[in-house]
Amino acid sequence: YDWNVAGWDFTKKIMSETSELDTGVAVKKLYCGPGLWQGFADLLEDRVHYQWETAKDDFGYTIRIIHGLRKSIEIHQHPDFTSNALKNSGFLTEPGLCKLRPFRPMKVLQGKYEDSDGNVFEDQKRAGLLYEGSMEWHGLENMAWITYAPTNEA
């Protein structure tokens, strides 16, 4: 299917099917790669009957917000979706349906080490946070995995 023709109907269908269970949340979040991000940008260019805006999230990244569907969608371009395998994909969810469940408390790794001569060094590659945990999922019927197949135009 051509995304520019069928993409909007697909989006409406996904939003309808993933919003049947009322969770009291008015906004869904779509975390996606640059391909799907651009696919939505192309799709929204000529959709004047839907309202969309560009905003910044808490970390300063640009997000797109689409209004006018059953629920609004915040589209976040996420760094975990930049590989070739995931750049045209996205994960649609609602805030609060996913929870982090730690196995152990988070550790702060200092990155300091001492050589055999007693010199102390700071290695930023070894410094950071160590988190061991998992995700707990609720309301799977309100989530979707979306893969966008770009149309190659000649």
Side-chain angles (χ1 to χ4, degrees):
Y1 293 99
D2 184 353
W3 174 257
N4 293 325
V5 174
W8 197 248
D9 290 332
F10 172 76
T11 302
K12 290 190 297 186
K13 180 174 175 49
I14 286 290
M15 288 302 291
S16 177
E17 288 184 5
T18 61
S19 300
E20 289 178 1
L21 178 67
D22 185 20
T23 59
V25 177
V27 178
K28 286 187 169 289
K29 293 191 179 204
L30 174 64
Y31 299 100
C32 65
L36 186 56
W37 172 272
Q38 188 60 47
F40 270 105
D42 296 343
L43 197 62
L44 290 169
E45 279 181 2
D46 59 347
R47 302 292 190 271
V48 295
H49 50 283
Y50 289 93
Q51 188 180 31
W52 65 289
E53 63 182 291
T54 303
K56 297 276 185 188
D57 67 6
D58 295 338
F59 301 103
Y61 291 104
T62 301
I63 60 173
R64 292 191 175 113
I65 305 169
I66 305 171
H67 303 286
L69 296 164
R70 194 163 182 175
K71 293 185 177 190
S72 295
I73 309 174
E74 286 184 6
I75 304 173
H76 298 254
Q77 190 172 342
H78 198 280
D80 288 342
F81 289 87
T82 55
S83 71
N84 280 338
L86 296 175
K87 70 180 180 183
N88 294 327
S89 297
F91 177 64
L92 182 70
T93 188
E94 291 183 21
L97 293 179
C98 306
K99 294 184 176 27
L100 288 173
R101 294 295 179 206
F103 298 143
R104 295 180 185 87
M106 189 177 337
K107 271 191 210 177
V108 177
L109 304 175
Q110 298 299 328
K112 290 185 180 180
Y113 66 95
E114 189 174 333
D115 67 7
S116 59
D117 295 330
N119 299 316
V120 177
F121 296 92
E122 180 104 16
D123 184 355
Q124 293 304 315
K125 289 184 179 180
R126 295 183 187 182
L129 300 173
L130 175 63
Y131 178 82
E132 294 177 295
S134 181
M135 294 289 290
E136 182 178 309
W137 308 94
H138 297 276
L140 291 176
E141 60 272 12
N142 282 26
M143 301 178 193
W145 181 265
I146 300 170
T147 301
Y148 158 70
T151 306
N152 294 331
E153 296 181 26

